[in-house]
Amino acid sequence: MAEISYRDAVARGIAQEMARDKDVVFLGEDVAKAGGCFKATVGLYEQFGPLRVRDTPISEQAILGAAMGAAMTGLKPIAEIMFSDFIAVCFDYIANEFPKSRYMSNGQTKCPLVVRTGNGAGSRFGAQHSQSVENWCMMIPGLKVVAPSSPRDVIGLLAAAVRDPDPVIFFEHKSLYPIKGEVPDGEIVDTLGTAKILRPGTDCTILALALMVPRALEAAERLKAEHGIDAEVVDVRSLVPLDTQTILGSVGRTHRLFTVEENPRLCGWGAEIVSIVADEAFYDLDGPPVRITTPHIPLPAADHLEDMVLPTADRIVETVRRSLNS
Amino acid sequence: MKAMAAKPTTAGTPANDDIGEAKRLALYRSQIRLREAEQRAFDLFLQNLVKGTSHLSLGQEAVAAGFAEAMQKGDLSFCTYRGHAHTLARGVSVEKVLGELMQKDNGLMRGKGGSMHLTSEDHGVMGSYAIIGAHLPIACGAAWRAQYRGDKDVSVCFFGDGTTNIGAFHEALNFAAVWKLPVVFVCENNLYMEYTPIGDVTAVPSPAGDRAAAYGLPKIVIDGNDADVVYREAQKAFAKARAGEGPSLIECLTYRHSGHSRADPAKYRPEGELERWKERDPIKIYRERLKQFGVSEQVMAEIDADVRREVDAATEACKAAPMPPTDILFTDVYADGGWAWRN
Ligand SMILES: Cc1ncc(C[n+]2csc(CCOP(=O)(O)OP(=O)(O)O)c2C)c(N)n1
Ligand SMILES: [Mg+2]
């Protein structure tokens, strides 16, 4: 067991997989010699050399296209898109190429690759470098979508993503890079499509993802201490495949559902989950499901403005308390 | 018109050197086969038996045949929606291609891909891509794999003149040049991006050739209607790629005889343009070539008849084939063969 940062977990996860399988290669802007814009890939170039860890031009389409061509023909590339906002300039690969080639070719074409990308707000980078765009990817059949919240999950889910035969979009949260957590020694491999109950509780279910997970956990502790409300916190971890069994099971026990989403309001991942719960567990519910989201606006840059719009522990506490008491 | 600045040469010019009888006959057979198969696709469309859209390469056969005949087994083709000819030229059967166009269960992808996405990995056809420019970076990736593993195959990427104006073209060219990848980019300049003359929307006269210098590559613009010229240029580029000397960008001047897609009557063409290019029909050029090399009309007629038999038999087989079963709707979304996104 060792305590390492979420940032260092990225490099450790990639190194674990590159050491295991020489088909795993890694490319992106500034990822090799410079160790990454967020310093999450420091040391990989030195460890695995210039053939396996490659700096690219500022060419997001070339990065993802090259990853796909390599994946189709036998490699297992990991591609980095520096900020997830930039997915918009190479969305063709994410929306049209990776996820459709197997289907269109009647099963001939494979695409085992991972796109890692820095997602989310908290760094005051403004509207084009702060978004949470996992929902952009969740809506596309053929992709898998993962967003870890802890160093241990970074390693385990990254390993699972690399070993998975399908294209996986792996959202690292920029504001989580400095956080630390306990990580066991040796190889760590997790399972895609599994949510985790991080705090069992009986009064309501709070679903959260990535940066919203520590906030939901903090809120749950305060709900208990200050209001006697015992909330269950579920880290969704994987949007596709979606662990509906764990989610529906939790709602079946607690009878109330809250989602905490960093996405702007419309079509956030919570909307899909709420619709599933409404369809399949309506009579388990003792009250309306509630979505706690960022309002439907672009993200502002200033500290106090950004802080106002992202869901906070305060807002979660307040929303849950009001809903349960009404 | 700017796009016509690079004049095609006159009909029947013999190639500089002799590629040999066997290759010559193979190139002839291939071009005839592409012509017959696509003409048949057009006829079947008029009978309402070819569904969806389709983009023919009638008139552009020399490019597909010339490159495919220069490729070795294991070399990879990346095509566009105008990909029937390139797919057939790698040896995929006419039945598989027509079957896909006719949405039958015997089609190459059993109707799941359609005319614009022909793929036959067994033949090295790594897909046909319908988003302009998308496959240039993908071809780079396949070439990267070859470079990384020391494999000797070349990735060959076909696209049109219009594609030279999209970002992915420029990203891929720079990327391939910087990484010295074994990839060959083939621009089929048929003078039009869909319905607009390429000269109206491009800052330079040779849409690919004049961009090459920006990526440290030589300008190569060839007569794309002469299969021998194409074949020779392909060989040179492949040798360069296999030797680890990096990518090539080859612009082939050619012309499509039909509209952009089946919906297009091609009214935007100036009077006489089609007729002028038909004078330079690659098949006409190649028949004259064969004659110059002493191949008899009878040998050509036998090849023609042979090809016709394959196309006729394919047509009948496709007409008789069943529609795809509906259960394939839900297969192969994910690698486990299914479509489950939840437990
Ligand atoms: C990104 C994108 N933009 C536009 C289109 C629509 N479109 C399909 S074919 C085509 C023309 C392409 O011209 P060119 O590259 O010269 O190829 P050609 O059809 O002549 O073979 C256009 C604009 C598309 N498929 N993808
Ligand atoms: Mg064109």
Side-chain angles (χ1 to χ4, degrees):
Chain A
M1 231 17 156
E3 177 151 281
I4 70 168
S5 69
Y6 186 100
R7 168 184 285 111
D8 292 342
V10 172
R12 177 157 151 202
I14 297 174
Q16 173 186 301
E17 293 308 295
M18 292 189 78
R20 178 186 60 83
D21 181 352
K22 68 175 176 15
D23 286 339
V24 180
V25 289
F26 176 42
L27 79 168
E29 294 162 18
D30 299 324
V31 299
K33 289 180 198 149
C37 170
F38 302 109
K39 295 284 170 271
T41 59
V42 170
L44 295 172
Y45 177 78
E46 290 71 19
Q47 189 177 350
F48 297 102
L51 290 180
R52 295 183 68 187
V53 180
R54 297 196 74 162
D55 284 322
T56 68
I58 308 168
S59 300
E60 278 75 11
Q61 298 186 73
I63 293 168
L64 293 196
M68 177 170 168
M72 285 167 67
T73 56
L75 299 186
K76 303 229 173 88
I78 303 172
E80 177 175 309
I81 297 297
M82 194 183 277
F83 284 76
S84 65
D85 314 67
F86 308 163
I87 279 177
V89 304
C90 50
F91 200 50
D92 179 39
Y93 294 93
I94 293 192
N96 292 319
E97 313 298 343
F98 302 164
K100 306 214 161 75
S101 55
R102 181 183 294 276
Y103 187 83
M104 293 196 301
S105 68
N106 193 35
Q108 295 177 66
T109 304
K110 59 184 176 190
C111 192
L113 57 80
V114 179
V115 178
R116 297 178 37 246
T117 186
N119 196 43
S123 303
R124 323 318 192 181
F125 288 150
Q128 297 178 342
H129 288 70
S130 305
Q131 298 172 84
S132 282
V133 304
E134 62 276 2
N135 58 330
W136 293 0
C137 298
M138 184 187 186
M139 65 190 177
I140 299 162
L143 292 180
K144 293 179 178 173
V145 182
V146 183
S149 70
S150 70
R152 185 192 173 128
D153 281 2
V154 165
I155 301 172
L157 291 173
L158 189 56
V162 170
R163 295 175 196 202
D164 194 88
D166 290 307
V168 181
I169 316 300
F170 191 87
F171 289 96
E172 294 161 15
H173 202 292
K174 297 194 291 290
S175 290
L176 291 175
Y177 281 131
I179 67 129
K180 294 207 162 161
E182 289 286 324
V183 168
D185 299 330
E187 186 179 83
I188 307 175
V189 188
D190 211 318
T191 311
L192 301 185
T194 54
K196 238 193 213 166
I197 299 173
L198 295 183
R199 182 192 189 285
T202 52
D203 295 335
C204 66
T205 297
I206 303 178
L207 299 183
L209 193 73
L211 180 65
M212 296 300 107
V213 171
R215 295 185 182 192
L217 285 168
E218 185 195 332
E221 292 311 317
R222 284 174 44 195
L223 281 164
K224 181 77 185 168
E226 297 163 21
H227 306 286
I229 294 170
D230 187 19
E232 178 148 301
V233 176
V234 179
D235 183 349
V236 179
R237 304 202 313 157
S238 174
L239 292 175
V240 187
L242 185 65
D243 185 358
T244 53
Q245 283 180 16
T246 297
I247 294 167
L248 291 166
S250 177
V251 172
R253 288 188 303 276
T254 66
H255 311 295
R256 287 301 302 263
L257 173 65
F258 297 84
T259 64
V260 189
E261 304 160 52
E262 202 178 317
N263 309 126
R265 180 81 191 180
L266 300 191
C267 303
W269 55 261
E272 188 56 52
I273 292 179
V274 165
S275 112
I276 292 169
V277 169
D279 270 354
E280 300 175 28
F282 187 75
Y283 295 105
D284 286 339
L285 290 168
D286 285 344
V290 177
R291 294 178 58 212
I292 303 165
T293 71
T294 294
H296 209 63
I297 56 171
L299 287 170
D303 284 9
H304 72 293
L305 295 178
E306 197 187 62
D307 286 343
M308 277 184 73
V309 295
L310 293 201
T312 55
D314 278 350
R315 208 162 111 207
I316 300 167
V317 168
E318 198 39 38
T319 309
V320 171
R321 188 191 60 75
R322 246 190 295 117
S323 314
L324 291 193
N325 290 341
S326 64
Chain B
M1 192 188 305
K2 256 197 255 170
M4 294 291 286
K7 275 267 181 325
T9 54
T10 49
T13 311
N16 301 333
D17 57 350
D18 183 357
I19 64 167
E21 175 95 351
K23 224 4 132 183
R24 216 165 9 249
L25 291 179
L27 277 170
Y28 177 71
R29 174 184 288 271
S30 178
Q31 292 180 87
I32 291 289
R33 188 167 166 270
L34 307 186
R35 174 67 52 96
E36 286 289 330
E38 286 216 299
Q39 193 57 56
R40 183 62 51 89
F42 187 73
D43 296 345
L44 290 167
F45 156 61
L46 293 178
Q47 296 167 44
N48 205 23
L49 293 174
V50 160
K51 312 288 180 86
T53 188
S54 50
H55 305 76
L56 304 178
S57 300
L58 293 172
Q60 304 184 199
E61 294 89 347
V63 180
F67 272 93
E69 285 301 323
M71 283 186 219
Q72 296 173 2
K73 197 169 162 21
D75 289 340
L76 304 177
S77 304
F78 293 82
C79 318
T80 68
Y81 52 88
R82 197 181 303 288
H84 312 162
H86 293 292
T87 301
L88 290 163
R90 292 304 305 277
V92 176
S93 75
V94 175
E95 180 185 332
K96 287 275 179 201
V97 171
L98 284 183
E100 189 66 24
L101 270 55
M102 291 166 74
Q103 307 183 340
K104 293 299 186 77
D105 200 35
N106 64 344
L108 199 47
M109 297 93 72
R110 302 181 75 193
K112 289 178 80 170
S115 147
M116 298 204 285
H117 298 291
L118 299 179
T119 304
S120 184
E121 294 204 356
D122 288 346
H123 296 86
V125 180
M126 301 304 288
S128 302
Y129 297 79
I131 307 295
I132 295 294
H135 60 316
L136 281 84
I138 296 171
C140 289
W144 173 32
R145 179 267 321 153
Q147 181 187 59
Y148 173 66
R149 287 188 168 168
D151 297 341
K152 280 296 162 207
D153 60 279
V154 177
S155 293
V156 188
C157 185
F158 302 97
F159 53 89
D161 43 282
T163 303
T164 65
N165 290 325
I166 203 163
F169 167 88
H170 298 274
E171 289 196 13
L173 261 292
N174 183 60
F175 189 91
V178 172
W179 286 25
K180 271 200 154 191
L181 297 174
V183 56
V184 177
F185 298 105
V186 182
C187 176
E188 295 183 68
N189 181 359
N190 60 12
L191 310 189
Y192 292 89
M193 58 151 279
E194 220 163 41
Y195 318 135
T196 303
I198 193 63
D200 291 2
V201 290
T202 308
V204 288
S206 292
D210 289 334
R211 264 74 174 256
Y215 306 107
L217 300 173
K219 172 175 177 173
I220 302 173
V221 181
I222 64 170
D223 180 357
N225 279 10
D226 185 329
D228 284 357
V229 171
V230 174
Y231 174 76
R232 280 303 192 203
E233 201 61 44
Q235 280 188 316
K236 272 192 256 170
F238 295 169
K240 176 183 168 189
R242 286 191 230 282
E245 288 162 22
S248 299
L249 172 61
I250 301 170
E251 178 174 331
C252 305
L253 292 173
T254 184
Y255 194 81
R256 62 170 153 71
H257 291 175
S258 53
H260 165 73
S261 66
R262 67 176 234 182
D264 171 28
K267 292 261 166 58
Y268 43 81
R269 295 168 159 178
E271 177 115 359
E273 185 179 85
L274 174 61
E275 290 66 34
R276 278 202 306 284
W277 277 90
K278 279 195 167 169
E279 281 303 302
R280 301 209 64 262
D281 177 357
I283 292 190
K284 187 174 166 201
I285 289 174
Y286 219 72
R287 281 183 189 279
E288 287 175 34
R289 179 74 38 76
L290 290 186
K291 264 189 250 165
Q292 286 168 2
F293 280 98
V295 176
S296 69
E297 286 284 358
Q298 195 200 333
V299 168
M300 289 189 245
E302 275 165 20
I303 292 173
D304 296 356
D306 206 33
V307 164
R308 182 67 62 88
R309 271 192 296 277
E310 186 198 358
V311 175
D312 286 343
T315 307
E316 292 317 308
C318 292
K319 282 181 178 166
M323 307 296 275
T326 51
D327 58 356
I328 65 169
L329 270 173
F330 299 102
T331 61
D332 292 319
V333 177
Y334 291 103
D336 64 5
W339 66 298
W341 51 272
R342 58 174 286 188
N343 59 10

